[in-house]
Amino acid sequence: MKTTICSIGECMIEITHQNKSNFNYSIAGDTLNFASYLNPKSFKVFYLTALGTSDINKTAINFLKSKKISLKLVYRIP
């Protein structure tokens, strides 16, 4: 039986300047990192947050999916 955990918070978009016209970004934040470190074999993980619909926000959604974090509590803001 898996233990259910809900992490509540916001995803941080970390933007790093590479050169004059190039930037890289990654998805992070304390509550998101905590949720992503939990083993999906042992835990059913939910993340309670709100995200927009931009490409960066879609990257955050894909990150959550890749870590097997449930999107049921992610509110999408158009």
Side-chain angles (χ1 to χ4, degrees):
M1 184 171 148
K2 293 183 181 183
T3 301
T4 300
I5 292 184
C6 179
S7 185
I8 303 169
E10 72 281 351
C11 300
M12 290 184 6
I13 309 299
E14 296 179 339
I15 300 172
T16 54
H17 185 214
Q18 298 301 305
N19 57 46
K20 186 177 179 180
S21 60
N22 290 320
F23 294 85
N24 287 338
Y25 62 87
S26 60
I27 311 299
D30 292 343
T31 59
L32 180 61
N33 290 345
F34 167 75
S36 70
Y37 295 149
L38 295 169
N39 185 337
K41 292 180 182 177
S42 301
F43 298 95
K44 175 65 177 165
V45 183
F46 292 84
Y47 194 58
L48 176 60
T49 195
L51 292 171
T53 56
S54 69
D55 287 342
I56 291 176
N57 286 279
K58 290 175 186 171
T59 299
I61 292 291
N62 289 334
F63 177 81
L64 293 169
K65 287 179 182 178
S66 75
K67 297 296 183 175
K68 301 196 180 345
I69 298 171
S70 175
L71 302 175
K72 288 182 180 181
L73 300 178
V74 176
Y75 178 70
R76 300 302 302 272
I77 302 169

